[in-house]
Amino acid sequence: MKEVITKDGSLTLKNEQYNECYHSSEGAETETLYKHIYPAFEVVKKTEKTILDICFGLGYNTFLSILNRKEGEKLKIFSPEFDKKVVKNLKNFKYPEKFNPIKHIIIVALSIQHRPSESRYFMPQKPPASATCSPAR
């Protein structure tokens, strides 16, 4: 997988097998916020949200959902990923600095990817948020 710098300065990866980048050339962060996070949070006004994010990918949807939730808002995120290669590459992926407080999600995802029954974990930064990662089948 090849790292690609997008126009907003965030990184994405190019999947050589499919000759496709995981995000728009306009920006991984920009695309995630304006196509997924802002519209979903505008429509769903509940203080408890359950998110099904098909394919964890690089994790931008999960990270930016957590970082953009309102104080006191509860998130439960389910994000399966079938490509073990992409998840393994994330351990050293250069995320935006704002992801640092929650970057441990990648380490947890790596440690549980073969044990879906043990895949629930909680992120302590702005409790309560939970995420479940498991291999897609």
Side-chain angles (χ1 to χ4, degrees), residues 94-131:
K94 297 175 200 135
Y95 286 105
E97 281 187 31
K98 68 172 108 187
F99 290 3
N100 285 345
I102 57 175
K103 208 164 66 171
H104 66 277
I105 292 169
I106 299 302
I107 306 304
V108 174
L110 285 170
S111 70
I112 62 173
Q113 66 182 346
H114 298 293
R115 296 175 284 144
S117 62
E118 300 173 33
S119 62
R120 180 171 300 244
Y121 59 93
F122 294 91
M123 284 143 309
Q125 280 64 35
K126 272 167 77 175
S130 67

Side-chain angles (χ1 to χ4, degrees), residues 1-16:
M1 302 223 175
K2 177 183 171 189
E3 287 185 356
V4 177
I5 299 173
T6 63
K7 288 183 185 174
D8 70 3
S10 58
L11 287 177
T12 190
L13 291 177
K14 183 173 184 176
N15 185 313
E16 302 296 335

Side-chain angles (χ1 to χ4, degrees), residues 18-31:
Y18 298 105
N19 196 31
E20 289 283 330
C21 287
Y22 282 84
H23 297 93
S24 161
S25 61
E26 294 300 312
E29 190 171 344
T30 299
E31 177 183 23

